[in-house]
Amino acid sequence: MNKYSKTLAIGEHMCYTCGEHQFRYGRKKVQSVKIQQEMTLMEKLSILTDAAKYDVACTSSGTDRRGNKKDMGNCLAAGLCHTFAADGRCVSLLKILFTNECIFNCAYCQNNCNSDVPRASFTPEEVCTLTMEFYRRNYIEGLFLSSGILISPGYTMELIYQTICRLRNVYHFNGYIHVKAIPGADPALIQKTGFLADRMSINLELPTADGLKKLAPCKSRNTILRPMRQIQNSIAENKNELVVYRKAPQFVPAGQSTQMIIGATPESDFQIMSVAEALYHNFDLKRVFYSAFINVHPDADLPVLPGGPPLLREHRLYQADWLLRYYHFTVDELLSEDRPDFNIYLDPKCDWALRHLDFFPVEINRASRRTLLRVPGIGYKSAERIVKARRTCCLDFSDLKKIGVVLKRALYFITCSGKMMYNTKIDEDYICSCLMADRTQIPREIREGGYRQISLFDSATPGESAVTQEELIRSEAVAGA
Amino acid sequence: MWTFGGQGETGRMCALRGGVFMYIFICEDSLEGIFTGVYDACASRLGHRNIHLASGEPENYELFSEYIRVTPSAEKTQKVVSTLISRFGRQFYESICQAAMSGERRSRKKMDKADAIYETILLALACGDGQKVLLSLGEPCVYRVFELCRATNREACQHLQFLRFSELENGVLFATIHPKDHILPLLAEHFSDRLPAENFMIYDAPHRLAAVHKASGGYALADAGELDHDKIKRYSGDELEYRKLWLAFFDHIAIDSRRNPALQMQMIPKRYWADTPELSRF
């Protein structure tokens, strides 16, 4: 146990800025408890949900665990999303912070010790009841527990461990649990927590060490990567153990993930994707999440984003991320030093295909699965179906449509029994303008002019500007490709 | 092309599709009904090419077709089920069941559900490998089964996500759903595994069916025609409080600067809203 835990019972703290955090060491403890007691569960939940909402990793996938016939809960490998919030993001887990009190001063975070937000802490008991009651009503798929740094990383990790331990062993919860490992916490604690959680994550926060130093001076690359390596090694060890002893306890069965903030620092997409690729290769991560930066409080170091968070960029990064994980692409193929950012008009796969027309057309009835995966409009599932279906018969374009291939995108790149669908040219400009002619291919942000700065002295009428906008898109897309 | 045979049955076998002369087996729109139809059609020895199956009464009767009504029989169903499982494996059987459970409205443009299942089973019998048959999507009947199966699966999966239980006065968890397909067994299976120690009941309102699960026991499907609608509105003391907490959580988890109602609607279509407290605010 931590040396502070004797003077303070778990969760009995309340302070408004961490500048005053000495008083939590005992002197004004009574006062802080009083503030805590006035707060209802509803208020706490509101505050701590608000505090957790910028974390993106809300997935419940990766573990397949049947129920054990007596305890509540099971897990599905594909994961389930229980509802979708007003921003269209899925709500799969009860995503909360244990406490939003924090001694760190990360500039991008609304819970940093200098910001003026209401602070609250749950007790382990409250987190457990909320999880159990929400879970049995089928509101959630499990718990996502993160926390601000209360007193010290070790102390916070201990609190998280206590909560999870209670949930698993006292409440016998058998559903999905995702916890954050706190950078700088005792490795033994992280190890213990790993045996109770399904997924663990440590946020990389910013893609480069420089960015981290600037915006999160309390964190360092080293303290983040060390526990990541530890979890990776433990998972590998545990897998070997499970081969020998089938019933051995599982360590982080759904793997670990991380997240990066996009747009707070001037890194290029190429840098970000290279970091992601390195994480997948060297740390065996299951997922890397990208979170469009949202400026929650004014800070001189942070960019002002008049057009809102860079959602389209985030979307392109996710698309590329899937290409890395499921489509056997490498970052070097998609981007380079000379072209460091993704084409905002075309998705990364189309973009790649247009720059590698020598690779096409691909013969559907003969091409390997890997080759099929490179064709725009053919996804992971359709490639699988094509490979299986062509064993029995020769596939035609109508069969491809049934299989689920998006022909309006794929038709420029494929042949069936040596024939193309229509008489099309294999020419970059031609294909690009054809793809652009389909308005649904253009991202909504651009279609609706989200990228256009509205000026007070703008004289063009709306009708005119729509036309020029469209022409602009087309010409820029061709130039970009 | 008309072929006149000798006498009796064969004389009427004018094996032309397109409704010239056919034996049409009308089965009940249920798993048992369709499987009995399949059994009867095979046992009738009228020639597979002359047989169609219909799930439910046809809108229009054809002049030269003979209509045969099928009475569902548990024994015949059992025979078909055991043949399917033993010869083609569990996965094939499950795909067929999921297709049969689909509640898609019959339309003249698309192949009838029972007919698609019948022909797929015939193909599998001829080929001997069920999995292989299910992959040959070039066949219209197989494609139809695939389509139905995919729709049912999607519907079931959506309901696993969007179904909401409320705790009643007597501690029973109760949920109402409005599915298009007969997905209740799939849901009951999932929730029995997930909540083994709870008494719960899922009420399928359009089909007037209920799945009832008893703590540490199995589940049963029951006719819910006489459900007590007052009793299911009497919630336990905690219920409203947890519902409020859930609503608060739901409201606070959204990021204002990313607001996107269109995306939300795309991910959770409006027809699910009525049964979820956070979107209907009941």
Side-chain angles (χ1 to χ4, degrees):
Chain A
M1 287 287 272
N2 190 292
K3 62 176 174 173
Y4 304 114
S5 54
K6 281 176 193 145
T7 49
L8 292 162
I10 292 165
E12 286 184 350
H13 334 266
M14 188 67 219
C15 86
Y16 281 97
T17 62
C18 85
E20 294 175 302
H21 78 257
Q22 287 92 335
F23 82 33
R24 279 184 291 170
Y25 287 56
R27 217 155 35 88
K28 289 188 185 171
K29 203 181 116 197
V30 180
Q31 184 199 346
S32 64
V33 171
K34 198 174 142 214
I35 299 170
Q36 172 96 33
Q37 279 168 347
E38 281 168 6
M39 212 173 255
T40 61
L41 186 56
M42 174 70 93
E43 285 164 326
K44 281 189 194 177
L45 182 66
S46 306
I47 293 170
L48 292 166
T49 307
D50 259 330
K53 68 183 171 190
Y54 296 105
D55 219 303
V56 278
C58 186
T59 52
S60 55
S61 54
T63 320
D64 211 2
R65 183 166 61 226
R66 296 275 296 171
N68 60 4
K69 303 255 189 301
K70 57 182 203 293
D71 302 335
M72 186 164 82
N74 62 5
C75 294
L76 268 70
L80 293 177
C81 305
H82 282 272
T83 191
F84 291 85
D87 50 11
R89 299 189 312 157
C90 87
V91 179
S92 171
L93 305 172
L94 174 64
K95 186 161 60 179
I96 44 173
L97 294 194
F98 188 84
T99 171
N100 65 344
E101 289 178 51
C102 192
I103 57 172
F104 283 5
N105 60 346
C106 313
Y108 51 81
C109 177
Q110 63 166 1
N111 305 317
N112 80 29
C113 62
N114 302 322
S115 76
D116 181 23
V117 290
R119 307 275 174 170
S121 302
F122 278 125
T123 63
E125 195 67 38
E126 286 168 337
V127 174
C128 294
T129 356
L130 272 179
T131 311
M132 294 302 278
E133 291 296 333
F134 279 11
Y135 192 83
R136 66 192 278 259
R137 289 171 171 79
N138 204 33
Y139 293 162
I140 52 166
E141 195 59 17
L143 175 68
F144 174 107
L145 193 62
S146 178
S147 181
I149 313 293
L150 184 70
I151 299 178
S152 73
Y155 182 80
T156 316
M157 198 65 221
E158 175 76 35
L159 281 175
I160 291 181
Y161 169 71
Q162 297 281 342
T163 313
I164 303 297
C165 187
R166 202 174 173 78
L167 190 58
R168 283 278 195 235
N169 299 326
V170 179
Y171 285 79
H172 300 291
F173 178 67
N174 196 29
Y176 196 90
I177 297 180
H178 179 160
V179 282
K180 290 267 166 217
I182 307 290
D186 181 10
L189 257 178
I190 293 181
Q191 193 75 9
K192 278 202 291 183
T193 315
F195 279 108
L196 298 172
D198 285 292
R199 174 167 282 182
M200 284 184 91
S201 56
I202 301 142
N203 285 356
L204 198 65
E205 312 295 9
L206 295 157
T208 54
D210 285 345
L212 198 67
K213 208 171 183 179
K214 196 169 145 211
L215 297 184
C218 297
K219 292 182 181 171
S220 77
R221 248 313 147 78
N222 207 9
T223 50
I224 292 172
L225 294 184
R226 207 182 306 127
M228 210 182 256
R229 179 69 78 198
Q230 183 203 341
I231 294 173
Q232 179 200 9
N233 292 340
S234 302
I235 292 175
E237 266 171 42
N238 183 245
K239 279 209 177 111
N240 292 334
E241 208 171 274
L242 284 168
V243 173
V244 188
Y245 309 104
R246 201 163 53 87
K247 296 249 165 100
Q250 290 193 311
F251 184 86
V252 195
Q256 61 171 333
S257 65
T258 192
Q259 109 176 37
M260 284 190 267
I261 300 165
I262 306 306
T265 42
E267 282 95 2
S268 65
D269 290 349
F270 180 57
Q271 279 172 304
I272 295 169
M273 287 318 295
S274 305
V275 170
E277 193 177 41
L279 286 172
Y280 286 131
H281 279 288
N282 304 335
F283 288 87
D284 295 329
L285 287 199
K286 269 277 151 68
R287 286 291 300 269
V288 175
F289 292 95
Y290 310 90
S291 147
F293 171 65
I294 293 165
N295 204 339
V296 281
H297 47 71
D299 189 305
D301 286 341
L302 294 173
V304 179
L305 303 164
L311 295 181
L312 182 57
R313 187 172 178 209
E314 182 194 278
H315 180 59
R316 290 282 178 251
L317 287 168
Y318 272 118
Q319 286 180 317
D321 186 74
W322 283 75
L323 293 184
L324 293 190
R325 286 185 298 131
Y326 289 99
Y327 294 80
H328 310 287
F329 275 89
T330 59
V331 174
D332 294 338
E333 288 174 294
L334 300 171
L335 297 168
S336 63
E337 290 286 357
D338 312 327
R339 303 180 62 262
D341 291 311
F342 287 114
N343 186 343
I344 54 165
Y345 303 99
L346 286 170
D347 65 86
K349 201 178 179 188
C350 264
D351 193 37
W352 177 86
L354 284 179
R355 281 184 286 115
H356 295 84
L357 284 176
D358 52 306
F359 189 82
F360 299 104
V362 161
E363 169 55 43
I364 289 292
N365 287 303
R366 274 205 302 275
S368 67
R369 198 174 143 274
R370 277 197 176 209
T371 316
L372 289 175
L373 283 175
R374 302 224 150 194
V375 179
I378 297 183
Y380 189 79
K381 269 190 186 168
S382 5
E384 203 92 308
R385 280 187 201 136
I386 290 174
V387 173
K388 281 179 181 162
R390 72 186 179 188
R391 283 184 200 145
T392 48
C393 62
C394 193
L395 295 177
D396 194 7
F397 285 102
S398 60
D399 297 327
L400 289 186
K401 199 174 173 193
K402 286 179 186 170
I403 279 170
V405 174
V406 186
L407 279 179
K408 67 181 171 187
R409 227 173 307 157
L411 70 93
Y412 308 100
F413 306 103
I414 54 171
T415 58
C416 283
S417 321
K419 286 194 184 109
M420 292 193 84
M421 192 169 173
Y422 303 124
N423 190 13
T424 52
K425 286 183 271 183
I426 298 196
D427 171 67
E428 198 174 317
D429 289 351
Y430 171 75
I431 297 177
C432 186
S433 60
C434 287
L435 286 172
M436 283 293 150
D438 176 12
R439 304 266 302 153
T440 55
Q441 295 298 296
I442 306 168
R444 195 169 59 101
E445 285 89 337
I446 303 175
R447 230 185 319 157
E448 291 170 7
Y451 267 67
R452 195 157 165 275
Q453 183 73 47
I454 298 166
S455 152
L456 191 62
F457 306 104
D458 218 350
S459 58
T461 57
E464 274 173 30
S465 72
V467 175
T468 49
Q469 182 74 8
E470 199 164 326
E471 281 168 0
L472 191 90
I473 289 167
R474 208 167 286 180
S475 60
E476 275 184 35
V478 173
Chain B
M1 196 178 89
W2 290 75
T3 51
F4 294 98
Q7 67 269 52
E9 291 294 320
T10 41
R12 289 147 69 194
M13 268 190 216
C14 312
L16 265 186
R17 290 256 157 132
V20 177
F21 196 96
M22 283 288 166
Y23 293 97
I24 296 176
F25 286 76
I26 300 174
C27 16
E28 192 187 82
D29 187 7
S30 68
L31 204 59
E32 202 174 86
I34 291 174
F35 280 168
T36 313
V38 171
Y39 184 92
D40 282 356
C42 288
S44 67
R45 307 217 156 260
L46 293 170
H48 295 315
R49 288 193 301 171
N50 310 320
I51 292 177
H52 273 315
L53 262 69
S55 54
E57 287 292 328
E59 286 172 4
N60 262 324
Y61 290 90
E62 291 160 16
L63 189 56
F64 294 110
S65 293
E66 193 174 319
Y67 289 88
I68 302 160
R69 281 187 177 64
V70 175
T71 346
S73 137
E75 192 195 342
K76 288 174 182 171
T77 307
Q78 195 47 48
K79 281 181 180 166
V80 175
V81 170
S82 61
T83 307
L84 290 185
I85 292 178
S86 64
R87 294 198 49 185
F88 313 121
R90 192 125 208 129
Q91 218 178 338
F92 178 82
Y93 166 68
E94 276 171 15
S95 302
I96 294 288
C97 283
Q98 279 163 4
M101 278 142 89
S102 163
E104 196 182 295
R105 280 181 52 188
R106 299 169 62 211
S107 87
R108 214 175 294 170
K109 284 183 194 149
K110 285 186 174 168
M111 198 173 184
D112 189 273
K113 181 170 76 177
D115 210 26
I117 290 173
Y118 174 60
E119 286 189 24
T120 308
I121 292 177
L122 288 184
L123 274 180
L125 285 169
C127 154
D129 184 348
Q131 283 312 311
K132 210 168 160 185
V133 166
L134 284 187
L135 287 170
S136 49
L137 295 176
E139 295 287 342
C141 60
V142 178
Y143 180 62
R144 184 80 182 118
V145 166
F146 165 79
E147 226 179 15
L148 292 169
C149 191
R150 185 171 57 181
T152 314
N153 259 329
R154 195 170 288 165
E155 181 82 354
C157 194
Q158 304 260 36
H159 275 93
L160 292 187
Q161 306 178 22
F162 304 140
L163 175 149
R164 299 281 181 265
F165 285 113
S166 321
E167 196 185 49
L168 302 184
E169 242 174 7
N170 50 8
V172 173
L173 292 175
F174 182 86
T176 310
I177 50 170
H178 293 87
K180 287 182 194 160
D181 309 327
H182 293 275
I183 51 163
L184 207 51
L186 298 174
L187 296 185
E189 193 79 37
H190 172 82
F191 285 105
S192 304
D193 186 51
R194 171 164 288 199
L195 309 168
E198 301 279 355
N199 294 310
F200 68 79
M201 179 170 171
I202 305 169
Y203 172 50
D204 180 345
H207 301 105
R208 294 192 162 270
L209 265 175
V212 185
H213 175 265
K214 199 168 178 311
S216 55
Y219 73 88
L221 295 184
D223 179 37
E226 290 166 16
L227 191 76
D228 185 350
H229 285 272
D230 290 330
K231 207 168 178 182
I232 60 170
K233 292 224 166 57
R234 285 204 294 274
Y235 300 123
S236 72
D238 288 348
E239 174 58 27
L240 291 177
E241 191 183 327
Y242 282 110
R243 199 178 280 178
K244 266 187 211 148
L245 283 168
W246 167 243
L247 294 185
F249 173 76
F250 179 77
D251 290 340
H252 282 275
I253 202 77
I255 299 175
D256 278 341
S257 46
R258 297 182 65 126
R259 259 186 79 80
N260 192 347
L263 182 61
Q264 183 189 30
M265 197 113 69
Q266 183 189 332
M267 302 310 285
I268 172 163
K270 274 231 155 149
R271 67 190 175 94
Y272 297 103
W273 286 26
D275 295 329
T276 50
E278 70 271 16
L279 292 164
S280 70
R281 306 275 153 177
F282 65 69

